[in-house]
């Protein structure tokens, strides 16, 4: 059965009621740049088992089963087959406050990126344009401070965010931005084992082997935004955190390239943070 409805409140409410009457075990939709949010949140509010899947996974599945054409009807059929065959895990949809914090963090990152671009332009463009650039830089700085304050105020309103932030920021080198990013982008933190959490972030080296050939192991996949923030935090940690400073220097002494050593430190950090949240313990209670 295939049909279409407008992506509007009333039609969505009607389809949700139909789905509730069918006793479904899994509803799968692909992420479409927030276009899916209205339907997803309506399903979640109705306690329906909704799963949002990366569209890349759907496309690769379609190619694997030989479906190369792409129309709305074909896509719906492929997603249905993907749901029945792969049965992706049903994960909780973040609550409204958590979604707000995530959106604020994304906006802060966007503003920082624009700020960096303007600073670069200040270095290369003629002085006649400096006044315009500096005006925009002042505006961006004000907006960044405002957004950062809004994030702090939003976090304070959620008890489990406050508690987890206190645990995470007890680690020297882990600031509020990294803590908020982890809680927003990695809700699995504290619930998985060390190998699973490292693979989820994308800091676990993957084997590349075939027969007698052994390739160089590299990190793959994972959550890019988390890795970006963690990389910057680790540059601070290897300066102010004696545990990670010693580990970094040990890796360098073994001949590891600086970037490889930093990635290894990031892997160690995410494993440590995962354990701390799991055990609800602060850094000062740890020796490594």
């Amino acid at each position: 059965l295939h049909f279409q409805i407008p992506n509007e409140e009333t039609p969505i409410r009607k389809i949700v009621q139909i789905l509730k009457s069918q006793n479904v075990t899994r509803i799968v939709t692909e992420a479409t740049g927030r276009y899916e949010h209205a339907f997803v949140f309506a399903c979640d509010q109705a306690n329906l088992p909704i799963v949002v899947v990366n569209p890349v996974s759907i496309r690769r599945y379609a190619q694997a089963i030989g479906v190369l054409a792409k129309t709305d009807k074909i896509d719906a059929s492929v997603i249905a087959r993907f749901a029945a065959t792969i049965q992706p895990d049903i994960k909780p949809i973040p609550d409204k406050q958590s979604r707000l914090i995530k959106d604020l963090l994304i906006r802060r990152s966007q503003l920082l990126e624009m700020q960096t671009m303007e600073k670069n332009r200040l270095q290369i463009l003629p002085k006649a344009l400096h006044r315009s650039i500096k005006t925009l830089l002042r505006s961006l700085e004000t907006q960044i401070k405002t957004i950062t304050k809004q994030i702090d105020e939003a976090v304070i309103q959620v008890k489990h965010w406050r508690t987890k932030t206190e645990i995470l920021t007890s680690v020297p080198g882990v600031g509020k931005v990294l803590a908020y990013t982890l809680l927003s982008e990695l809700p699995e933190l504290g619930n998985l084992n060390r190998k699973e959490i490292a693979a989820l972030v994308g800091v676990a080296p993957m084997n590349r082997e075939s027969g007698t050939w052994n390739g160089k192991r590299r990190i793959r996949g994972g959550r890019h935004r988390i890795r970006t923030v963690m990389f910057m935090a680790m540059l601070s940690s290897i300066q102010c955190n004696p545990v990670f400073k010693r580990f970094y220097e040990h890796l360098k002494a073994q001949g590891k390239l600086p970037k490889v050593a930093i990635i290894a430190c990031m892997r160690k950090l995410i494993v440590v943070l995962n354990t701390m949240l799991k055990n609800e313990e602060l850094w000062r209670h740890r020796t490594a």
Side-chain angles (χ1 to χ4, degrees), residues 22 43 51 71-72 98 103 114 152 195 211 226 232-233 245 247 258 266 280:
Q22 297 301 310
C43 287
V51 184
T71 66
D72 288 344
S98 297
D103 288 341
M114 287 188 281
D152 289 335
K195 290 184 178 179
I226 294 175
M232 300 306 296
K245 184 176 182 178
F247 186 53
M266 289 165 56
E280 297 183 351

Side-chain angles (χ1 to χ4, degrees), residues 94-102 153-155 157-158 161:
D95 58 53
K96 187 175 181 179
Q97 191 71 2
S98 297
R99 297 198 300 268
L100 171 62
I101 295 170
K102 181 176 180 178
E153 291 173 348
V155 169
Q157 297 177 28
V158 186
W161 275 74

Side-chain angles (χ1 to χ4, degrees), residues 45 55 78 89 99 112 143 148 155 171 201 223 242 260 271 280:
Q45 190 173 9
V78 169
D89 294 336
R99 297 198 300 268
L112 286 171
Q143 290 191 52
T148 302
V155 169
V171 180
V201 173
R223 301 180 184 176
V260 174
V271 168
E280 297 183 351

Side-chain angles (χ1 to χ4, degrees), residues 262-280:
I262 290 175
I263 295 297
C265 288
M266 289 165 56
R267 182 166 61 253
K268 182 180 179 70
L269 175 60
I270 199 63
V271 168
V272 168
L273 294 176
N274 185 62
T275 302
M276 288 171 62
L277 281 189
K278 186 179 295 185
N279 299 333
E280 297 183 351

Side-chain angles (χ1 to χ4, degrees), residues 46-63:
N47 295 317
L48 288 169
I50 183 73
V51 184
V52 182
V53 179
N54 189 325
V56 174
S57 299
I58 301 292
R59 198 67 242 150
R60 288 176 177 170
Y61 176 80
Q63 293 169 345

Side-chain angles (χ1 to χ4, degrees), residues 60-275:
R60 288 176 177 170
Y61 176 80
Q63 293 169 345
I65 61 176
V67 178
L68 303 181
K70 183 174 174 59
T71 66
D72 288 344
K73 187 173 183 178
I74 291 174
D75 285 351
S77 175
V78 169
I79 293 173
R81 292 177 65 179
F82 175 91
T85 305
I86 305 300
Q87 297 184 5
D89 294 336
I90 300 171
K91 300 176 182 179
I93 302 298
D95 58 53
K96 187 175 181 179
Q97 191 71 2
S98 297
R99 297 198 300 268
L100 171 62
I101 295 170
K102 181 176 180 178
D103 288 341
L104 288 170
L105 284 167
I106 291 173
R107 183 55 184 161
R108 184 179 184 276
S109 296
Q110 293 169 344
L111 292 170
L112 286 171
E113 184 178 349
M114 287 188 281
Q115 184 185 55
T116 300
M117 293 170 66
E118 287 302 304
K119 286 181 177 179
N120 291 338
R121 293 186 181 108
L122 190 62
Q123 301 298 319
I124 61 175
L125 292 178
K127 288 186 177 181
L129 299 175
H130 285 193
R131 182 177 181 181
S132 171
I133 295 172
K134 289 179 179 179
T135 299
L136 183 53
L137 281 171
R138 286 193 294 271
S139 176
L140 288 170
E141 183 65 29
T142 299
Q143 290 191 52
I144 290 169
K145 288 181 180 178
T146 300
I147 289 286
T148 302
K149 183 179 179 181
Q150 289 177 331
I151 295 171
D152 289 335
E153 291 173 348
V155 169
I156 290 174
Q157 297 177 28
V158 186
K159 183 179 179 181
H160 71 271
W161 275 74
R162 291 200 310 271
T163 303
K164 291 181 178 180
T165 297
E166 181 182 357
I167 293 173
L168 295 175
T169 54
S170 70
V171 180
V174 175
K176 287 184 178 180
V177 173
L178 175 56
Y180 298 162
T181 301
L182 290 173
L183 294 177
S184 172
E185 303 281 347
L186 194 65
E188 300 89 348
L189 191 64
N191 298 312
L192 302 178
N193 62 43
R194 56 189 299 134
K195 290 184 178 179
E196 291 171 335
I197 201 67
L200 201 57
V201 173
V203 291
M206 301 296 179
N207 292 339
R208 300 173 67 232
E209 302 174 358
S210 179
T212 58
W213 176 77
N214 289 323
K216 188 176 181 180
R217 297 200 303 167
R218 300 178 184 275
I219 61 172
R220 294 185 61 186
R223 301 180 184 176
H224 175 72
R225 189 177 290 113
I226 294 175
R227 282 202 309 279
T228 300
V229 178
M230 282 194 69
F231 187 87
M232 300 306 296
M234 186 48 63
L235 294 178
S236 171
S237 292
I238 59 178
Q239 299 296 325
C240 67
N241 189 317
V243 172
F244 290 100
K245 184 176 182 178
R246 285 196 302 269
F247 186 53
Y248 177 74
E249 292 175 347
H250 170 71
L251 293 172
K252 288 287 296 298
Q254 288 185 325
K256 301 293 185 183
L257 295 173
K259 188 173 181 179
V260 174
I262 290 175
I263 295 297
C265 288
M266 289 165 56
R267 182 166 61 253
K268 182 180 179 70
L269 175 60
I270 199 63
V271 168
V272 168
L273 294 176
N274 185 62
T275 302

